[in-house]
């Protein structure tokens, strides 16, 4: 990300267009190198926009393929598919998110060792710099995230759940699936027994000598925990367009509703920010707020109704707004596992008890790819090209 870059769809599309020429061989060769804040030109920095679907995964993949073809764009496309894989994996195993939340809430996030790590006061070169960069910018290079997580768990001996929570609160691209499952992978829980160990040599190599920390753990024993649960089938997606006027609900999970909700009869629009994560970092909170405001402007232009911002994503707020608009239901983009999905699940019984439909529309991208995430990433990756051809993408 560039400091001051707007959290808007227009800015995201401009960044996508500007980076497209580097999505091929240059990206594959240099993507693992972290050259420092504001200088990481070898990675796209698109993740804050993709996280909220100001720019979609499909748009990013299509841009890469158009610029470089299937072979040249392979590595960039693979990295985008990782994000989709994590979402599909968690969607079919939602108990993993619930278990993370429960464990996090039992732990002491205010202990001196946790505070020192979060504030960059451990004395470990690189780690402290990344902690301060995260707080100041709301973003870290992906390789730095792996090093940070490994040092947090294996060198500092801190609970992985508190590190994952720190990222959720501070990253502008914080995603429940990618974040939680990546931390689990480093800890040896996601692929049982397989951990990630940060080494001084690897850090020095891929930071171009900026950091060579001393005293890092020399082994990474897997964190104790149960094996991942078996995948459960995804609930069926809504395919038909129901009759009657509906209230559009815009959430942080999908901020281009105008792409998804088209032929419906629209009675009004409401929006709701992501349910609060305590202590959310200033850059992360500012980006989320600006992104939602941008989506509200586009929704107002697309559907011809003013947008009412709800104080919270609750059943009472949805019922009151829908009834005031004369709507027979509420329609929103599908919210993957996370705080917004949980809020919708809590609201659904009372909304439906009031005689209103609550419909979540799943994107074709998700509908096509999420069901493939039954095992590891590489079986998913092998099956993806055939499925994506149905969306007009040859990878």
């Amino acid at each position: 990300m560039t400091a001051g870059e707007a959290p808007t769809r227009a800015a995201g599309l401009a960044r996508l267009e500007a980076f497209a020429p580097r999505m091929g061989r240059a990206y594959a060769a240099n993507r693992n190198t972290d050259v420092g804040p504001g200088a990481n030109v070898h990675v796209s920095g698109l993740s804050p926009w993709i996280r909220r679907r100001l720019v979609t995964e499909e748009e990013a993949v299509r841009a890469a393929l158009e610029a470089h073809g299937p072979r040249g764009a392979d590595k960039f496309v693979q990295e985008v598919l990782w994000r989709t894989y994590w979402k599909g994996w968690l969607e079919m195993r939602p108990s993993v998110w619930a278990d993370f939340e429960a464990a996090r809430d039992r732990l002491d996030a205010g202990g001196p060792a946790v505070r020192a790590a979060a504030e960059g006061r451990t004395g470990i070169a690189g780690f402290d710099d990344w902690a301060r960069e995260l707080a100041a910018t709301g973003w870290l290079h992906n390789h730095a995230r792996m090093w940070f997580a490994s040092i947090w768990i294996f060198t500092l001996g801190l609970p992985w759940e508190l590190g994952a929570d720190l990222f959720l609160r501070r990253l502008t691209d914080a995603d429940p699936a990618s974040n939680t499952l990546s931390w689990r992978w480093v800890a040896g829980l996601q692929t049982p027994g397989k951990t990630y160990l940060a080494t001084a040599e690897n850090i020095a190599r891929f930071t171009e000598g900026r950091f060579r920390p001393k005293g890092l753990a020399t082994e990474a024993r897997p964190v104790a925990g149960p094996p991942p649960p078996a995948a459960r089938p995804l609930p069926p997606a809504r395919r038909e367009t129901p009759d009657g006027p509906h209230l559009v609900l815009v959430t942080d999970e999908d901020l281009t509703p105008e792409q998804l909700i088209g032929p419906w009869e629209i009675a009004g629009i409401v929006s709701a920010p992501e349910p609060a994560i305590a202590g959310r970092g200033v850059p992360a909170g500012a980006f989320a707020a600006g992104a939602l405001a941008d989506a509200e402007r586009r929704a107002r232009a697309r559907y011809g109704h003013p947008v009412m911002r709800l104080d919270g994503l609750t059943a009472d707020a949805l019922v009151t707004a829908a009834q005031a608009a004369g709507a027979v239901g509420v329609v929103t983009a599908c919210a993957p596992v996370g705080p917004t999905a949980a809020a919708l699940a809590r609201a659904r019984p009372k909304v439906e008890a009031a005689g209103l439909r609550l419909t979540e529309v799943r994107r074709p991208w998700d509908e096509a790819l999420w069901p493939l995430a039954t095992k590891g990433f590489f079986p998913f990756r092998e099956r993806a090209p055939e499925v994506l051809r149905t969306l007009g993408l040859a990878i």
Side-chain angles (χ1 to χ4, degrees), residues 341-379:
L344 286 171
R346 290 191 297 270
R348 182 179 293 277
K350 193 169 183 178
V351 170
E352 294 181 346
L356 300 166
R357 290 188 291 259
L358 177 53
T359 302
E360 294 186 60
V361 182
R362 191 180 299 156
R363 283 185 177 271
W365 176 271
D366 300 334
E367 181 73 1
L369 290 169
W370 283 359
L372 306 184
T374 54
K375 298 180 181 178
F377 175 74
F378 292 102

Side-chain angles (χ1 to χ4, degrees), residues 3-17:
E5 207 162 0
T8 65
R9 174 162 167 78
L13 290 175
R15 173 174 275 270
L16 178 68
E17 182 180 4

Side-chain angles (χ1 to χ4, degrees), residues 291-335:
L292 184 60
D294 178 62
E296 290 169 343
R297 288 190 290 270
R298 285 181 282 104
R300 182 170 60 247
R302 168 66 177 82
Y303 301 117
H305 291 279
V307 181
M308 180 175 70
R309 175 83 63 91
L310 303 179
D311 291 334
L313 186 46
T314 66
D316 288 342
L318 290 175
V319 169
T320 298
Q323 290 176 342
V328 300
V330 179
V331 57
T332 190
C334 178

Side-chain angles (χ1 to χ4, degrees), residues 55-117:
V55 175
T56 67
E57 297 94 325
E58 183 174 348
E59 287 171 331
V61 167
R62 197 175 296 278
L65 293 173
E66 289 176 354
H68 302 281
R71 293 186 64 182
D74 180 68
K75 182 55 67 174
F76 183 87
V77 170
Q78 178 173 293
E79 293 306 303
V80 176
L81 288 177
W82 264 109
R83 177 176 293 271
T84 298
Y85 168 74
W86 286 137
K87 281 188 177 292
W89 193 97
L90 191 60
E91 204 66 18
M92 291 188 280
R93 301 164 183 87
S95 64
V96 170
W97 170 256
D99 290 345
F100 156 70
E101 287 192 300
R104 175 199 62 193
D105 294 344
R106 289 193 299 266
L107 293 165
D108 179 12
V114 174
R115 290 202 310 272

